[in-house]
């Protein structure tokens, strides 16, 4: 039989203990651990949800890997690559690739009777995965995207629609200037999307690949580049290495030198900003563990001092200091475990309530999301629980040595 565990269980389950200090101390220690864990769970869930929400929006506009002409990368001017069957086959043959989709960029001006706005037109083909656009569509419908004919349909953002006072179904003129030549196209606003990502929403319109290529004076098989989505984002670095070996610095069928970039390289400022959030998480985790640890130390010292007579009796019966220390450490484990239980209930409860109700709102102009995003990661939560338990028990080892200073005769005579 494990004597320390047996005694600790008896002490912890003794509901008839009328001591005026130890029971409140136990409750305070339990509440301290519970609050600390709940704050850690909510913090980690918010940061994970926020990072993944922003990442998914950036990926939705730019994919995981882009292939384009090296001249576009170095000069900033649009230069095409030839996306023929051989290049498509080479891309899809790389392990880890989910899908590849062409796109063509061109600049233009949208003009209404009252206002005008310079925008970027992104032409996409029928193979383009529009699930991201459908998720953020708030009015109208997704246009028909073609690489062989033009439907002159346009998908614009809510921000652009507000500036030009447009709605789904309206007609708008687009002007394109190229070497002094001005071309005009009349588009129908087919749908309006909203992602709250200002850098995209303020100037990006989606149209068909055929129109964008014609405006650039390019052939059917040409495009600004190819967007590649991978099956597992966690393996992006490995898949990038395969693209560097097979695609990067190679020539297409027309002799254009191609280069590849990941989403991290395309938008380094966004991901650098997201990485800074990890520092805040670590600070909060450390502070909350310290709060839980110090609360437990205070509670343990109070409990030891109030159990002086019991300690003296155990020593008189032959119990060693090591045995008594283990008894109080086990007693602390029971307190910490109850605090962890309530902390999980409160923390996970708050996360689930936010996920299903969205009760906490944010300013999308500042945070890029309208509701506080929260994501439950059970593995990470379990790791936080185990780490908190181990650290709290570890910091209680030193205070438990106070037991060695308690003399049996003096403690019993004092009582």
């Amino acid at each position: 039989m494990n004597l320390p565990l047996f005694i600790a269980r008896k002490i912890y389950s003794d509901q008839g203990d009328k001591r005026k200090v130890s029971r409140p101390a136990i409750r305070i220690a339990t509440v301290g651990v519970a609050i600390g864990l709940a704050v850690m769970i909510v913090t980690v869930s918010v940061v994970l949800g926020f990072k993944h929400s922003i990442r998914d929006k950036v990926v939705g506009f730019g994919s995981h890997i882009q292939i384009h002409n090296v001249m576009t990368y170095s000069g900033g001017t649009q230069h095409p690559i030839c996306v023929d069957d051989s290049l498509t086959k080479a891309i899809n043959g790389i392990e880890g690739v989910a899908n590849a989709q062409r796109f063509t960029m061109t600049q233009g001006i949208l003009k209404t009777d009252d206002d005008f706005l310079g925008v970027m037109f992104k032409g996409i083909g029928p193979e383009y995965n529009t699930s991201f656009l459908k998720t953020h569509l708030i009015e109208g419908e997704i246009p028909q995207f073609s690489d062989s004919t033009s439907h002159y349909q346009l998908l614009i953002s809510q921000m652009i629609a507000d500036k030009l006072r447009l709605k789904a179904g309206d007609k708008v003129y687009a002007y394109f200037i190229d070497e002094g030549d001005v071309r005009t196209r009349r588009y129908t606003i087919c749908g309006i999307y909203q992602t709250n990502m200002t850098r995209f929403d303020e100037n990006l319109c989606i149209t068909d690949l055929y129109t964008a290529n014609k405006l650039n004076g390019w052939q059917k098989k040409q495009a600004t580049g190819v967007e590649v989505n991978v099956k597992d984002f966690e393996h992006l670095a490995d898949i990038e290495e395969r693209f560097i070996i097979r695609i990067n610095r190679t020539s297409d069928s027309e002799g254009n030198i191609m280069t590849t970039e990941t989403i991290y390289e395309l938008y380094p400022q966004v991901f650098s900003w997201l990485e800074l959030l990890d520092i805040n998480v670590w600070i909060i985790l450390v502070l909350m563990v310290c709060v839980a640890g110090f609360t437990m130390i205070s509670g343990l010292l109070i409990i030891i001092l109030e159990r002086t007579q019991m300690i003296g009796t155990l020593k008189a019966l032959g119990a060693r200091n090591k045995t008594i220390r283990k008894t109080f450490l086990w007693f602390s484990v029971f307190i910490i475990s109850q605090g962890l239980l309530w902390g999980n209930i409160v923390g996970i409860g708050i996360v689930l309530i936010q996920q299903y109700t969205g009760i906490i709102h944010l300013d999308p102009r500042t945070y890029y999301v309208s509701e506080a995003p929260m994501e439950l990661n059970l593995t990470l939560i379990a790791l936080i629980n185990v780490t908190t338990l181990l650290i709290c028990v570890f910091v209680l080892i030193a205070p438990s040595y106070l037991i060695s200073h308690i003399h049996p005769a003096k403690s019993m005579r004092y009582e």
Side-chain angles (χ1 to χ4, degrees):
M1 181 181 66
N2 190 330
L3 181 60
L5 178 59
F6 175 78
I7 298 174
R9 187 183 294 114
K10 285 293 184 181
I11 299 173
Y12 184 76
S13 60
D14 183 11
Q15 299 299 324
D17 188 359
K18 302 300 183 182
R19 299 174 188 270
K20 296 182 179 180
V21 180
S22 60
R23 281 299 163 185
I26 292 174
R27 294 190 186 97
I28 292 172
T30 303
V31 171
V33 174
I35 292 176
L37 181 66
V39 170
M40 287 189 282
I41 290 175
V42 172
T43 300
V44 171
S45 299
V46 168
V47 171
L48 282 178
F50 188 76
K51 290 179 66 175
H52 290 170
S53 296
I54 300 302
R55 185 192 72 184
D56 292 344
K57 289 183 179 182
V58 175
V59 170
F61 282 113
S63 74
H64 297 118
I65 299 174
Q66 282 191 16
I67 305 171
H68 47 77
N69 195 313
V70 70
M71 295 299 293
T72 300
Y73 176 77
S74 59
T77 307
Q78 296 292 326
H79 294 272
I81 60 173
C82 182
V83 188
D84 53 14
D85 292 339
S86 61
L87 179 58
T88 303
K89 184 177 180 180
I91 295 172
N92 292 325
I94 296 176
E95 183 182 356
V97 170
N99 72 294
Q101 49 202 27
R102 298 163 295 167
F103 72 96
T104 293
M105 306 295 294
T106 189
Q107 293 181 336
I109 300 173
L110 292 180
K111 187 180 184 306
T112 63
D113 294 337
D114 303 317
D115 209 345
F116 64 93
L117 182 67
V119 296
M120 287 293 299
F121 288 81
K122 182 177 182 178
I124 57 179
E127 78 279 7
Y128 200 92
N129 185 354
T130 58
S131 58
F132 171 77
L133 298 175
K134 291 178 180 178
T135 301
H136 294 89
L137 188 70
I138 60 174
E139 186 180 343
E141 59 184 7
I142 301 296
Q144 298 180 15
F145 299 116
S146 174
D147 59 356
S148 58
T149 185
S150 178
H151 299 282
Y152 292 108
Q153 295 176 332
L154 202 61
L155 181 67
I156 64 174
S157 70
Q158 183 64 58
M159 187 176 294
I160 295 175
D162 291 340
K163 289 180 179 179
L164 298 178
R165 294 186 287 278
L166 295 170
K167 60 182 184 298
D170 288 349
K171 306 290 185 179
V172 63
Y173 283 99
Y175 296 86
F176 303 90
I177 303 174
D178 182 21
E179 297 180 356
D181 182 26
V182 179
R183 286 169 288 178
T184 306
R185 298 290 187 274
R186 190 167 183 254
Y187 283 96
T188 300
I189 305 300
C190 195
I192 298 174
Y193 71 89
Q194 183 177 18
T195 66
N196 296 315
M197 292 291 290
T198 305
R199 65 182 301 158
F200 299 109
D201 287 4
E202 67 181 358
N203 61 9
L204 186 62
C205 303
I206 312 294
T207 185
D208 57 79
L209 185 69
Y210 178 83
T211 301
N213 274 351
K214 285 295 182 181
L215 291 169
N216 285 342
W218 296 349
Q219 301 300 316
K220 180 179 179 180
K221 291 185 178 181
Q222 292 180 320
T224 297
V226 180
E227 294 180 348
V228 179
N229 290 307
V230 302
K231 296 178 181 178
D232 189 349
F233 187 84
E234 300 301 325
H235 295 149
L236 180 59
D238 297 331
I239 300 173
E240 178 195 11
E241 289 297 325
R242 300 177 193 135
F243 271 86
I244 291 175
I245 295 173
R246 299 189 58 177
I247 303 294
N248 201 32
R249 303 297 175 180
T250 61
S251 300
D252 61 14
S253 59
E254 296 179 353
N256 301 304
I257 305 299
M258 296 180 292
T259 186
T260 60
E261 286 184 294
T262 66
I263 195 69
Y264 292 110
E265 296 168 321
L266 289 167
Y267 305 102
Q269 301 89 347
V270 175
F271 288 96
S272 296
W273 171 57
L274 292 178
E275 288 176 0
L276 291 176
L277 297 178
D278 294 334
I279 299 176
N280 298 332
V281 172
W282 281 109
I283 292 174
I284 293 175
L285 292 179
V286 171
L287 289 176
M288 291 300 101
V289 170
C290 289
V291 169
F294 285 123
T295 305
M296 283 303 305
I297 290 174
S298 302
L300 181 63
L301 291 176
I302 293 173
I303 294 166
I304 290 175
L305 292 175
E306 285 209 342
R307 292 285 177 173
T308 302
Q309 183 181 18
M310 187 196 77
I311 296 171
T313 303
L314 290 174
K315 283 190 174 184
L317 293 173
R320 296 181 177 181
N321 289 333
K322 181 178 180 180
T323 301
I324 301 175
R325 284 201 307 272
K326 286 184 178 180
T327 299
F328 282 93
L329 288 177
W330 273 115
F331 183 72
S332 300
V333 169
F334 293 143
I335 298 175
I336 297 169
S337 299
Q338 186 178 22
L340 294 178
L341 174 63
W342 284 107
N344 280 295
I345 293 173
V346 174
I348 295 176
I350 292 174
V351 173
L352 292 177
I353 290 173
Q354 176 61 21
Q355 284 183 337
Y356 287 102
T357 66
I359 193 171
I360 303 175
H361 297 278
L362 299 175
D363 183 1
R365 293 173 297 180
T366 303
Y367 298 100
Y368 307 118
V369 288
S370 57
E371 299 175 355
M374 294 190 182
E375 178 180 327
L376 276 179
N377 187 316
L378 297 181
T379 302
L380 194 54
I381 291 175
L383 181 61
I384 292 173
N385 276 265
V386 173
T387 304
T388 303
L389 176 62
L390 293 177
I391 292 177
C392 287
V393 173
F394 178 78
V395 299
L396 293 176
I397 294 176
S400 68
Y401 276 90
L402 179 64
I403 294 168
S404 62
H405 297 287
I406 299 177
H407 194 276
K410 292 181 179 180
S411 62
M412 288 186 288
R413 183 169 58 249
Y414 173 78
E415 295 289 342

